[in-house]
């Protein structure tokens, strides 16, 4: 149990009710909102409770609506005079950029492993095959796509929030590592699309394959243009 205390923000005192271990489910703070900036209030809370840094805090009004924008004054967020806000601990946090880099790295690791290992593995079960042109093309395009995603995560994407709950990295990575990695790689780099299997079919027609490579390239360029447009709509640092 934390004792009742107060925080100094902008030269004013913020009264804080006792903080209890139920902070994960939310506790109430009674504050005087005049002139206070939300971010300054959160810094004051972090000073009172070192285990609760700014990135883990979510403040909501009495109607349970989250207060967005740390740079805004509480009065601009509809909090007037003496008010009671709900403070919730969002739990351990991780940066959005880190999550993006990790989730996109999965296919970049998994696809080469399957591409190189699949012929050896299938041969042990009596299904030897050689990689066809369409399989190699898919491999190159997948690698190029996720390498683009990684570079965009570093140099292009801007995030409205610095962090997200750490557990999200497991959920997000499962999608990319399992579906875009294991499932896609396991399905494409198999005897069903090997040299012998596609010989004489449209999947062995290089003109047909290059046509769809061109469509892929146009789609990637369109996607890149959209990301650049979104980046320019959000000034750096905001």
């Amino acid at each position: 149990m934390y004792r009742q205390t107060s925080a100094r923000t902008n030269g004013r005192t913020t009264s804080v009710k006792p903080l209890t271990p139920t902070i994960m489910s939310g506790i109430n703070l009674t504050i005087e909102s005049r002139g206070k900036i939300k971010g300054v209030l959160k810094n004051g809370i972090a000073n009172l409770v070192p285990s609760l840094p700014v990135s883990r805090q979510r403040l909501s009004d009495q109607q349970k609506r989250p207060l967005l924008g740390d740079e805004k004054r509480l009065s601009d967020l509809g909090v007037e005079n003496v008010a009671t806000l709900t403070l919730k601990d969002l739990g351990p946090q991780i940066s959005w950029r880190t999550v993006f880099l990790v989730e996109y790295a999965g296919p970049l690791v998994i696809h080469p492993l399957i591409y190189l290992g699949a012929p050896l593995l299938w041969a042990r079960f009596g299904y030897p095959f050689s990689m066809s042109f369409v399989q190699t093309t898919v491999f190159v395009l997948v690698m190029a796509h996720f390498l683009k995603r990684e570079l965009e995560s570093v140099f292009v994407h801007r995030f409205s929030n610095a962090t997200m709950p750490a557990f999200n990295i497991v959920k997000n990575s499962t999608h990319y590592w399992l579906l875009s990695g294991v499932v896609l790689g396991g399905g494409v780099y198999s005897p069903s699309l090997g040299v012998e299997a596609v010989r004489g079919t449209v999947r062995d027609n290089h003109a047909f394959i290059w046509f769809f490579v061109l469509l892929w390239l146009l789609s990637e360029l369109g996607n890149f243009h959209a990301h650049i447009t979104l980046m320019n709509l959000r000034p750096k640092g905001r």
Side-chain angles (χ1 to χ4, degrees), residues 74-115:
L74 292 176
S75 57
D76 295 333
L77 296 172
V79 180
E80 300 290 347
N81 302 321
V82 177
T84 298
L85 301 180
T86 299
L87 169 66
K88 183 174 182 179
D89 180 1
L90 297 175
Q93 300 289 295
I94 189 170
S95 76
W96 276 77
R97 199 176 308 278
T98 298
V99 173
F100 273 41
L101 291 172
V102 170
E103 65 189 21
Y104 297 148
L108 289 173
V109 173
I110 293 170
H111 276 264
L113 292 176
I114 300 179
Y115 181 82

Side-chain angles (χ1 to χ4, degrees), residues 137 141 145 148 206-224:
T137 300
L141 298 186
H145 171 74
K148 166 184 168 290
H206 287 206
F208 175 80
I209 294 171
W210 280 113
F211 171 76
F212 283 98
V213 170
L214 178 61
L215 290 182
W216 172 89
L217 180 60
L218 292 175
S219 298
E220 291 291 317
L221 290 174
N223 178 257
F224 177 71

Side-chain angles (χ1 to χ4, degrees), residues 68-220:
L68 304 178
D70 284 2
E71 76 285 355
K72 295 182 178 179
R73 295 184 180 276
L74 292 176
S75 57
D76 295 333
L77 296 172
V79 180
E80 300 290 347
N81 302 321
V82 177
T84 298
L85 301 180
T86 299
L87 169 66
K88 183 174 182 179
D89 180 1
L90 297 175
Q93 300 289 295
I94 189 170
S95 76
W96 276 77
R97 199 176 308 278
T98 298
V99 173
F100 273 41
L101 291 172
V102 170
E103 65 189 21
Y104 297 148
L108 289 173
V109 173
I110 293 170
H111 276 264
L113 292 176
I114 300 179
Y115 181 82
L116 296 174
L120 301 176
L121 179 62
W122 281 103
R124 297 191 62 177
F125 291 95
Y127 298 98
F129 76 101
S130 298
M131 288 292 177
S132 63
F133 179 71
V134 68
Q135 288 174 311
T136 300
T137 300
V138 169
F139 172 71
V140 171
L141 298 186
V142 167
M143 296 297 288
H145 171 74
F146 283 104
L147 180 59
K148 166 184 168 290
R149 288 292 188 92
E150 291 280 37
L151 293 174
E152 287 178 338
S153 296
V154 175
F155 299 109
V156 177
H157 293 324
R158 293 174 181 169
F159 304 97
S160 57
N161 293 320
T163 63
M164 67 168 73
F167 181 71
N168 282 13
I169 196 171
V170 177
K171 295 189 296 183
N172 290 29
S173 296
T174 296
H175 169 80
Y176 285 97
W177 288 52
L178 183 61
L179 298 181
S180 299
V182 176
V183 175
L184 177 60
V188 172
Y189 314 129
S190 68
S192 63
L193 288 175
V195 170
E196 293 298 326
V198 301
R199 180 171 286 129
T201 70
V202 70
R203 294 175 180 176
D204 196 31
N205 185 317
H206 287 206
F208 175 80
I209 294 171
W210 280 113
F211 171 76
F212 283 98
V213 170
L214 178 61
L215 290 182
W216 172 89
L217 180 60
L218 292 175
S219 298
E220 291 291 317

